[in-house]
mmCIF file of all heavy atoms in Angstrom:
data_model
loop_
_atom_site.group_PDB
_atom_site.id
_atom_site.type_symbol
_atom_site.label_atom_id
_atom_site.label_comp_id
_atom_site.label_asym_id
_atom_site.label_seq_id
_atom_site.Cartn_x
_atom_site.Cartn_y
_atom_site.Cartn_z
ATOM 1 N N ALA H 22 89.234 88.411 114.599
ATOM 2 C CA ALA H 22 88.886 87.033 114.257
ATOM 3 C C ALA H 22 88.399 86.935 112.813
ATOM 4 O O ALA H 22 88.787 86.023 112.067
ATOM 5 C CB ALA H 22 87.830 86.508 115.215
ATOM 6 N N THR H 23 87.565 87.881 112.409
ATOM 7 C CA THR H 23 87.052 87.874 111.033
ATOM 8 C C THR H 23 88.168 88.076 110.026
ATOM 9 O O THR H 23 88.267 87.362 109.020
ATOM 10 C CB THR H 23 85.994 88.976 110.859
ATOM 11 O OG1 THR H 23 84.914 88.748 111.768
ATOM 12 C CG2 THR H 23 85.454 89.003 109.436
ATOM 13 N N LEU H 24 89.030 89.047 110.284
ATOM 14 C CA LEU H 24 90.110 89.358 109.347
ATOM 15 C C LEU H 24 91.106 88.202 109.246
ATOM 16 O O LEU H 24 91.619 87.905 108.164
ATOM 17 C CB LEU H 24 90.818 90.643 109.783
ATOM 18 C CG LEU H 24 89.978 91.917 109.666
ATOM 19 C CD1 LEU H 24 90.652 93.077 110.399
ATOM 20 C CD2 LEU H 24 89.731 92.287 108.206
ATOM 21 N N GLN H 25 91.381 87.553 110.362
ATOM 22 C CA GLN H 25 92.286 86.401 110.319
ATOM 23 C C GLN H 25 91.684 85.257 109.519
ATOM 24 O O GLN H 25 92.370 84.615 108.721
ATOM 25 C CB GLN H 25 92.621 85.933 111.741
ATOM 26 C CG GLN H 25 93.513 86.901 112.482
ATOM 27 C CD GLN H 25 94.089 86.328 113.764
ATOM 28 O OE1 GLN H 25 95.209 86.667 114.146
ATOM 29 N NE2 GLN H 25 93.345 85.477 114.443
ATOM 30 N N ASP H 26 90.407 85.010 109.733
ATOM 31 C CA ASP H 26 89.732 83.913 109.033
ATOM 32 C C ASP H 26 89.729 84.157 107.523
ATOM 33 O O ASP H 26 89.961 83.238 106.739
ATOM 34 C CB ASP H 26 88.313 83.775 109.561
ATOM 35 C CG ASP H 26 87.553 82.652 108.871
ATOM 36 O OD1 ASP H 26 87.993 81.495 108.971
ATOM 37 O OD2 ASP H 26 86.522 82.935 108.231
ATOM 38 N N LEU H 27 89.492 85.395 107.115
ATOM 39 C CA LEU H 27 89.377 85.698 105.688
ATOM 40 C C LEU H 27 90.734 85.783 104.998
ATOM 41 O O LEU H 27 90.875 85.393 103.837
ATOM 42 C CB LEU H 27 88.621 87.010 105.491
ATOM 43 C CG LEU H 27 87.146 87.001 105.901
ATOM 44 C CD1 LEU H 27 86.563 88.409 105.821
ATOM 45 C CD2 LEU H 27 86.348 86.051 105.008
ATOM 46 N N SER H 28 91.723 86.318 105.691
ATOM 47 C CA SER H 28 93.022 86.568 105.063
ATOM 48 C C SER H 28 93.980 85.397 105.182
ATOM 49 O O SER H 28 94.936 85.290 104.396
ATOM 50 C CB SER H 28 93.683 87.809 105.690
ATOM 51 O OG SER H 28 94.039 87.549 107.044
ATOM 52 N N GLY H 29 93.778 84.546 106.175
ATOM 53 C CA GLY H 29 94.746 83.492 106.442
ATOM 54 C C GLY H 29 96.010 84.008 107.095
ATOM 55 O O GLY H 29 97.015 83.293 107.179
ATOM 56 N N GLN H 30 95.991 85.253 107.568
ATOM 57 C CA GLN H 30 97.135 85.857 108.239
ATOM 58 C C GLN H 30 96.863 85.987 109.734
ATOM 59 O O GLN H 30 95.712 86.104 110.157
ATOM 60 C CB GLN H 30 97.414 87.264 107.684
ATOM 61 C CG GLN H 30 97.731 87.336 106.216
ATOM 62 C CD GLN H 30 97.983 88.778 105.768
ATOM 63 O OE1 GLN H 30 98.100 89.699 106.588
ATOM 64 N NE2 GLN H 30 98.069 88.979 104.459
ATOM 65 N N ALA H 31 97.934 86.000 110.515
ATOM 66 C CA ALA H 31 97.821 86.398 111.911
ATOM 67 C C ALA H 31 97.773 87.927 111.942
ATOM 68 O O ALA H 31 98.721 88.593 111.528
ATOM 69 C CB ALA H 31 99.012 85.889 112.714
ATOM 70 N N VAL H 32 96.661 88.486 112.379
ATOM 71 C CA VAL H 32 96.478 89.948 112.343
ATOM 72 C C VAL H 32 97.155 90.562 113.560
ATOM 73 O O VAL H 32 96.671 90.452 114.689
ATOM 74 C CB VAL H 32 94.982 90.303 112.284
ATOM 75 C CG1 VAL H 32 94.779 91.805 112.446
ATOM 76 C CG2 VAL H 32 94.399 89.838 110.941
ATOM 77 N N ALA H 33 98.289 91.209 113.319
ATOM 78 C CA ALA H 33 99.089 91.767 114.401
ATOM 79 C C ALA H 33 98.779 93.229 114.681
ATOM 80 O O ALA H 33 98.948 93.703 115.805
ATOM 81 C CB ALA H 33 100.576 91.625 114.071
ATOM 82 N N GLY H 34 98.351 93.984 113.642
ATOM 83 C CA GLY H 34 98.242 95.431 113.755
ATOM 84 C C GLY H 34 96.843 95.932 114.026
ATOM 85 O O GLY H 34 95.849 95.324 113.601
ATOM 86 N N PHE H 35 96.762 97.065 114.705
ATOM 87 C CA PHE H 35 95.492 97.721 115.029
ATOM 88 C C PHE H 35 95.670 99.217 114.866
ATOM 89 O O PHE H 35 96.664 99.787 115.332
ATOM 90 C CB PHE H 35 95.076 97.403 116.463
ATOM 91 C CG PHE H 35 93.773 98.041 116.896
ATOM 92 C CD1 PHE H 35 92.584 97.346 116.780
ATOM 93 C CD2 PHE H 35 93.737 99.328 117.428
ATOM 94 C CE1 PHE H 35 91.374 97.916 117.171
ATOM 95 C CE2 PHE H 35 92.536 99.909 117.820
ATOM 96 C CZ PHE H 35 91.361 99.197 117.693
ATOM 97 N N ARG H 36 94.710 99.853 114.213
ATOM 98 C CA ARG H 36 94.682 101.319 114.134
ATOM 99 C C ARG H 36 93.323 101.805 114.606
ATOM 100 O O ARG H 36 92.288 101.454 114.032
ATOM 101 C CB ARG H 36 94.963 101.810 112.716
ATOM 102 C CG ARG H 36 94.860 103.347 112.582
ATOM 103 C CD ARG H 36 95.364 103.822 111.233
ATOM 104 N NE ARG H 36 96.813 103.658 111.143
ATOM 105 C CZ ARG H 36 97.503 103.731 110.006
ATOM 106 N NH1 ARG H 36 96.865 103.948 108.858
ATOM 107 N NH2 ARG H 36 98.809 103.584 110.007
ATOM 108 N N ALA H 37 93.329 102.617 115.639
ATOM 109 C CA ALA H 37 92.083 103.160 116.161
ATOM 110 C C ALA H 37 91.484 104.151 115.178
ATOM 111 O O ALA H 37 92.208 104.966 114.589
ATOM 112 C CB ALA H 37 92.326 103.863 117.493
ATOM 113 N N PRO H 38 90.177 104.094 114.939
ATOM 114 C CA PRO H 38 89.550 105.119 114.107
ATOM 115 C C PRO H 38 89.877 106.522 114.614
ATOM 116 O O PRO H 38 89.932 106.766 115.822
ATOM 117 C CB PRO H 38 88.056 104.803 114.261
ATOM 118 C CG PRO H 38 88.005 103.329 114.520
ATOM 119 C CD PRO H 38 89.211 103.057 115.377
ATOM 120 N N PHE H 39 90.126 107.419 113.689
ATOM 121 C CA PHE H 39 90.424 108.831 113.977
ATOM 122 C C PHE H 39 91.737 109.016 114.746
ATOM 123 O O PHE H 39 91.952 110.073 115.330
ATOM 124 C CB PHE H 39 89.285 109.492 114.780
ATOM 125 C CG PHE H 39 87.938 109.386 114.152
ATOM 126 C CD1 PHE H 39 86.983 108.497 114.667
ATOM 127 C CD2 PHE H 39 87.586 110.144 113.055
ATOM 128 C CE1 PHE H 39 85.726 108.390 114.105
ATOM 129 C CE2 PHE H 39 86.328 110.042 112.482
ATOM 130 C CZ PHE H 39 85.393 109.166 113.001
ATOM 131 N N PHE H 40 92.626 108.007 114.780
ATOM 132 C CA PHE H 40 93.833 108.088 115.613
ATOM 133 C C PHE H 40 93.456 108.521 117.033
ATOM 134 O O PHE H 40 94.053 109.431 117.615
ATOM 135 C CB PHE H 40 94.861 109.054 115.009
ATOM 136 C CG PHE H 40 95.447 108.600 113.705
ATOM 137 C CD1 PHE H 40 95.240 109.326 112.545
ATOM 138 C CD2 PHE H 40 96.196 107.446 113.628
ATOM 139 C CE1 PHE H 40 95.776 108.910 111.327
ATOM 140 C CE2 PHE H 40 96.744 107.017 112.409
ATOM 141 C CZ PHE H 40 96.531 107.747 111.266
ATOM 142 N N SER H 41 92.458 107.839 117.580
ATOM 143 C CA SER H 41 91.840 108.315 118.827
ATOM 144 C C SER H 41 92.443 107.723 120.091
ATOM 145 O O SER H 41 91.818 107.765 121.155
ATOM 146 C CB SER H 41 90.330 108.037 118.797
ATOM 147 O OG SER H 41 90.048 106.667 118.559
ATOM 148 N N LEU H 42 93.680 107.209 120.014
ATOM 149 C CA LEU H 42 94.386 106.826 121.227
ATOM 150 C C LEU H 42 95.115 108.073 121.724
ATOM 151 O O LEU H 42 96.129 108.478 121.172
ATOM 152 C CB LEU H 42 95.362 105.680 120.951
ATOM 153 C CG LEU H 42 95.621 104.729 122.131
ATOM 154 C CD1 LEU H 42 96.450 103.524 121.700
ATOM 155 C CD2 LEU H 42 96.270 105.417 123.309
ATOM 156 N N THR H 43 94.566 108.693 122.743
ATOM 157 C CA THR H 43 95.026 109.983 123.244
ATOM 158 C C THR H 43 95.336 109.871 124.737
ATOM 159 O O THR H 43 95.256 108.780 125.323
ATOM 160 C CB THR H 43 93.956 111.069 123.027
ATOM 161 O OG1 THR H 43 92.850 110.806 123.910
ATOM 162 C CG2 THR H 43 93.454 111.069 121.582
ATOM 163 N N ASP H 44 95.647 111.009 125.348
ATOM 164 C CA ASP H 44 95.908 110.991 126.788
ATOM 165 C C ASP H 44 94.670 110.594 127.586
ATOM 166 O O ASP H 44 94.772 110.149 128.728
ATOM 167 C CB ASP H 44 96.423 112.354 127.253
ATOM 168 C CG ASP H 44 95.464 113.494 126.949
ATOM 169 O OD1 ASP H 44 94.615 113.350 126.036
ATOM 170 O OD2 ASP H 44 95.554 114.535 127.614
ATOM 171 N N ARG H 45 93.485 110.711 126.985
ATOM 172 C CA ARG H 45 92.240 110.335 127.675
ATOM 173 C C ARG H 45 91.883 108.868 127.468
ATOM 174 O O ARG H 45 90.997 108.350 128.140
ATOM 175 C CB ARG H 45 91.078 111.214 127.185
ATOM 176 C CG ARG H 45 91.291 112.700 127.404
ATOM 177 C CD ARG H 45 90.074 113.512 126.979
ATOM 178 N NE ARG H 45 89.712 113.269 125.583
ATOM 179 C CZ ARG H 45 90.266 113.892 124.553
ATOM 180 N NH1 ARG H 45 91.247 114.768 124.753
ATOM 181 N NH2 ARG H 45 89.881 113.634 123.312
ATOM 182 N N THR H 46 92.541 108.227 126.515
ATOM 183 C CA THR H 46 92.184 106.831 126.210
ATOM 184 C C THR H 46 93.402 105.908 126.257
ATOM 185 O O THR H 46 93.449 104.892 125.563
ATOM 186 C CB THR H 46 91.515 106.729 124.824
ATOM 187 O OG1 THR H 46 92.386 107.276 123.832
ATOM 188 C CG2 THR H 46 90.185 107.460 124.798
ATOM 189 N N GLU H 47 94.381 106.223 127.075
ATOM 190 C CA GLU H 47 95.556 105.363 127.168
ATOM 191 C C GLU H 47 95.200 103.970 127.690
ATOM 192 O O GLU H 47 95.944 103.011 127.454
ATOM 193 C CB GLU H 47 96.618 106.014 128.049
ATOM 194 C CG GLU H 47 97.288 107.209 127.382
ATOM 195 C CD GLU H 47 98.465 107.753 128.179
ATOM 196 O OE1 GLU H 47 98.703 107.254 129.309
ATOM 197 O OE2 GLU H 47 99.159 108.665 127.689
ATOM 198 N N TRP H 48 94.065 103.845 128.359
ATOM 199 C CA TRP H 48 93.589 102.529 128.800
ATOM 200 C C TRP H 48 93.440 101.566 127.620
ATOM 201 O O TRP H 48 93.487 100.342 127.784
ATOM 202 C CB TRP H 48 92.242 102.647 129.517
ATOM 203 C CG TRP H 48 91.193 103.421 128.761
ATOM 204 C CD1 TRP H 48 90.860 104.734 128.924
ATOM 205 C CD2 TRP H 48 90.358 102.936 127.688
ATOM 206 N NE1 TRP H 48 89.883 105.103 128.036
ATOM 207 C CE2 TRP H 48 89.544 104.024 127.276
ATOM 208 C CE3 TRP H 48 90.209 101.709 127.064
ATOM 209 C CZ2 TRP H 48 88.598 103.898 126.250
ATOM 210 C CZ3 TRP H 48 89.268 101.584 126.033
ATOM 211 C CH2 TRP H 48 88.476 102.671 125.645
ATOM 212 N N ALA H 49 93.265 102.115 126.416
ATOM 213 C CA ALA H 49 93.007 101.280 125.251
ATOM 214 C C ALA H 49 94.209 100.414 124.882
ATOM 215 O O ALA H 49 94.045 99.355 124.270
ATOM 216 C CB ALA H 49 92.616 102.144 124.052
ATOM 217 N N ALA H 50 95.424 100.831 125.234
ATOM 218 C CA ALA H 50 96.605 100.037 124.882
ATOM 219 C C ALA H 50 96.504 98.630 125.465
ATOM 220 O O ALA H 50 96.785 97.636 124.777
ATOM 221 C CB ALA H 50 97.870 100.740 125.355
ATOM 222 N N ARG H 51 96.104 98.530 126.716
ATOM 223 C CA ARG H 51 95.963 97.213 127.351
ATOM 224 C C ARG H 51 94.874 96.389 126.652
ATOM 225 O O ARG H 51 95.016 95.179 126.457
ATOM 226 C CB ARG H 51 95.630 97.391 128.833
ATOM 227 C CG ARG H 51 95.516 96.074 129.603
ATOM 228 C CD ARG H 51 95.178 96.331 131.069
ATOM 229 N NE ARG H 51 96.208 97.136 131.686
ATOM 230 C CZ ARG H 51 97.332 96.634 132.205
ATOM 231 N NH1 ARG H 51 97.553 95.336 132.157
ATOM 232 N NH2 ARG H 51 98.227 97.422 132.765
ATOM 233 N N VAL H 52 93.794 97.046 126.254
ATOM 234 C CA VAL H 52 92.693 96.333 125.597
ATOM 235 C C VAL H 52 93.120 95.843 124.218
ATOM 236 O O VAL H 52 92.820 94.701 123.820
ATOM 237 C CB VAL H 52 91.455 97.242 125.501
ATOM 238 C CG1 VAL H 52 90.310 96.518 124.804
ATOM 239 C CG2 VAL H 52 91.025 97.698 126.886
ATOM 240 N N ILE H 53 93.818 96.693 123.465
ATOM 241 C CA ILE H 53 94.280 96.316 122.129
ATOM 242 C C ILE H 53 95.202 95.102 122.214
ATOM 243 O O ILE H 53 95.082 94.144 121.436
ATOM 244 C CB ILE H 53 94.979 97.515 121.461
ATOM 245 C CG1 ILE H 53 93.968 98.633 121.182
ATOM 246 C CG2 ILE H 53 95.678 97.092 120.168
ATOM 247 C CD1 ILE H 53 94.604 99.975 120.849
ATOM 248 N N ALA H 54 96.112 95.120 123.174
ATOM 249 C CA ALA H 54 96.989 93.964 123.372
ATOM 250 C C ALA H 54 96.194 92.745 123.825
ATOM 251 O O ALA H 54 96.444 91.621 123.366
ATOM 252 C CB ALA H 54 98.071 94.304 124.386
ATOM 253 N N GLY H 55 95.222 92.960 124.711
ATOM 254 C CA GLY H 55 94.410 91.857 125.200
ATOM 255 C C GLY H 55 93.585 91.191 124.116
ATOM 256 O O GLY H 55 93.216 90.012 124.237
ATOM 257 N N ALA H 56 93.285 91.934 123.044
ATOM 258 C CA ALA H 56 92.553 91.360 121.915
ATOM 259 C C ALA H 56 93.467 90.583 120.976
ATOM 260 O O ALA H 56 92.997 90.012 119.987
ATOM 261 C CB ALA H 56 91.841 92.464 121.140
ATOM 262 N N GLY H 57 94.780 90.565 121.264
ATOM 263 C CA GLY H 57 95.704 89.741 120.499
ATOM 264 C C GLY H 57 96.630 90.469 119.561
ATOM 265 O O GLY H 57 97.386 89.829 118.836
ATOM 266 N N HIS H 58 96.625 91.790 119.557
ATOM 267 C CA HIS H 58 97.456 92.546 118.626
ATOM 268 C C HIS H 58 98.860 92.748 119.186
ATOM 269 O O HIS H 58 99.041 92.936 120.389
ATOM 270 C CB HIS H 58 96.821 93.898 118.330
ATOM 271 C CG HIS H 58 95.457 93.795 117.720
ATOM 272 N ND1 HIS H 58 94.308 93.854 118.477
ATOM 273 C CD2 HIS H 58 95.065 93.606 116.439
ATOM 274 C CE1 HIS H 58 93.259 93.715 117.678
ATOM 275 N NE2 HIS H 58 93.692 93.564 116.438
ATOM 276 N N ALA H 59 99.832 92.740 118.286
ATOM 277 C CA ALA H 59 101.222 92.946 118.672
ATOM 278 C C ALA H 59 101.649 94.404 118.586
ATOM 279 O O ALA H 59 102.600 94.815 119.251
ATOM 280 C CB ALA H 59 102.143 92.101 117.782
ATOM 281 N N TYR H 60 100.967 95.166 117.745
ATOM 282 C CA TYR H 60 101.323 96.580 117.627
ATOM 283 C C TYR H 60 100.087 97.416 117.333
ATOM 284 O O TYR H 60 99.067 96.921 116.850
ATOM 285 C CB TYR H 60 102.398 96.813 116.561
ATOM 286 C CG TYR H 60 101.936 96.745 115.124
ATOM 287 C CD1 TYR H 60 101.494 97.884 114.458
ATOM 288 C CD2 TYR H 60 101.957 95.552 114.406
ATOM 289 C CE1 TYR H 60 101.079 97.836 113.130
ATOM 290 C CE2 TYR H 60 101.553 95.490 113.084
ATOM 291 C CZ TYR H 60 101.117 96.631 112.449
ATOM 292 O OH TYR H 60 100.709 96.586 111.140
ATOM 293 N N SER H 61 100.224 98.698 117.660
ATOM 294 C CA SER H 61 99.187 99.689 117.404
ATOM 295 C C SER H 61 99.783 100.797 116.546
ATOM 296 O O SER H 61 100.972 101.101 116.634
ATOM 297 C CB SER H 61 98.674 100.262 118.735
ATOM 298 O OG SER H 61 97.941 101.456 118.541
ATOM 299 N N SER H 62 98.939 101.395 115.715
ATOM 300 C CA SER H 62 99.331 102.560 114.919
ATOM 301 C C SER H 62 98.214 103.575 115.073
ATOM 302 O O SER H 62 97.522 103.915 114.119
ATOM 303 C CB SER H 62 99.532 102.146 113.455
ATOM 304 O OG SER H 62 99.877 103.268 112.669
ATOM 305 N N SER H 63 98.029 104.035 116.298
ATOM 306 C CA SER H 63 96.806 104.743 116.683
ATOM 307 C C SER H 63 97.035 106.118 117.290
ATOM 308 O O SER H 63 96.075 106.760 117.711
ATOM 309 C CB SER H 63 96.033 103.895 117.715
ATOM 310 O OG SER H 63 95.744 102.612 117.218
ATOM 311 N N VAL H 64 98.287 106.576 117.353
ATOM 312 C CA VAL H 64 98.604 107.818 118.052
ATOM 313 C C VAL H 64 99.070 108.884 117.067
ATOM 314 O O VAL H 64 100.001 108.652 116.285
ATOM 315 C CB VAL H 64 99.691 107.591 119.125
ATOM 316 C CG1 VAL H 64 100.195 108.918 119.690
ATOM 317 C CG2 VAL H 64 99.144 106.718 120.248
ATOM 318 N N LEU H 65 98.423 110.033 117.111
ATOM 319 C CA LEU H 65 98.903 111.239 116.444
ATOM 320 C C LEU H 65 99.607 112.075 117.516
ATOM 321 O O LEU H 65 98.940 112.667 118.373
ATOM 322 C CB LEU H 65 97.736 112.021 115.842
ATOM 323 C CG LEU H 65 98.056 113.414 115.287
ATOM 324 C CD1 LEU H 65 99.062 113.334 114.147
ATOM 325 C CD2 LEU H 65 96.788 114.125 114.844
ATOM 326 N N PRO H 66 100.947 112.109 117.528
ATOM 327 C CA PRO H 66 101.662 112.775 118.624
ATOM 328 C C PRO H 66 101.746 114.294 118.449
ATOM 329 O O PRO H 66 102.804 114.903 118.534
ATOM 330 C CB PRO H 66 103.040 112.111 118.573
ATOM 331 C CG PRO H 66 103.223 111.764 117.141
ATOM 332 C CD PRO H 66 101.856 111.435 116.590
ATOM 333 N N ALA H 67 100.607 114.896 118.197
ATOM 334 C CA ALA H 67 100.494 116.340 118.006
ATOM 335 C C ALA H 67 99.030 116.710 118.206
ATOM 336 O O ALA H 67 98.178 115.838 118.397
ATOM 337 C CB ALA H 67 100.955 116.734 116.603
ATOM 338 N N ARG H 68 98.741 117.969 118.134
ATOM 339 C CA ARG H 68 97.345 118.396 118.195
ATOM 340 C C ARG H 68 96.686 118.125 116.847
ATOM 341 O O ARG H 68 97.250 118.425 115.797
ATOM 342 C CB ARG H 68 97.241 119.878 118.534
ATOM 343 C CG ARG H 68 97.859 120.218 119.883
ATOM 344 C CD ARG H 68 97.526 121.619 120.339
ATOM 345 N NE ARG H 68 98.233 121.928 121.561
ATOM 346 C CZ ARG H 68 97.862 121.530 122.775
ATOM 347 N NH1 ARG H 68 96.764 120.801 122.896
ATOM 348 N NH2 ARG H 68 98.567 121.846 123.834
ATOM 349 N N GLY H 69 95.480 117.544 116.876
ATOM 350 C CA GLY H 69 94.757 117.259 115.654
ATOM 351 C C GLY H 69 93.420 117.953 115.648
ATOM 352 O O GLY H 69 93.054 118.651 116.594
#
């Protein structure tokens, strides 16, 4: 909401801090979408 208000853009993207969308936090995909985002860039598909 803050970023949309300041930028005048519809904020579609979300990146989890530390690329922390993992096998233990896959529940977050539903939450990210529920907050209004169209895409996520939150997965490191390797060991980090």
Side-chain angles (χ1 to χ4, degrees):
T23 300
L24 292 168
Q25 290 192 147
D26 180 61
L27 293 173
S28 68
Q30 300 180 10
V32 172
F35 180 94
R36 177 171 290 166
F39 305 106
F40 294 116
S41 55
L42 210 172
T43 70
D44 58 338
R45 301 183 303 276
T46 57
E47 288 187 355
W48 51 263
R51 182 180 300 275
V52 179
I53 293 166
H58 300 95
Y60 76 91
S61 164
S62 178
S63 303
V64 170
L65 171 61
R68 300 191 185 280

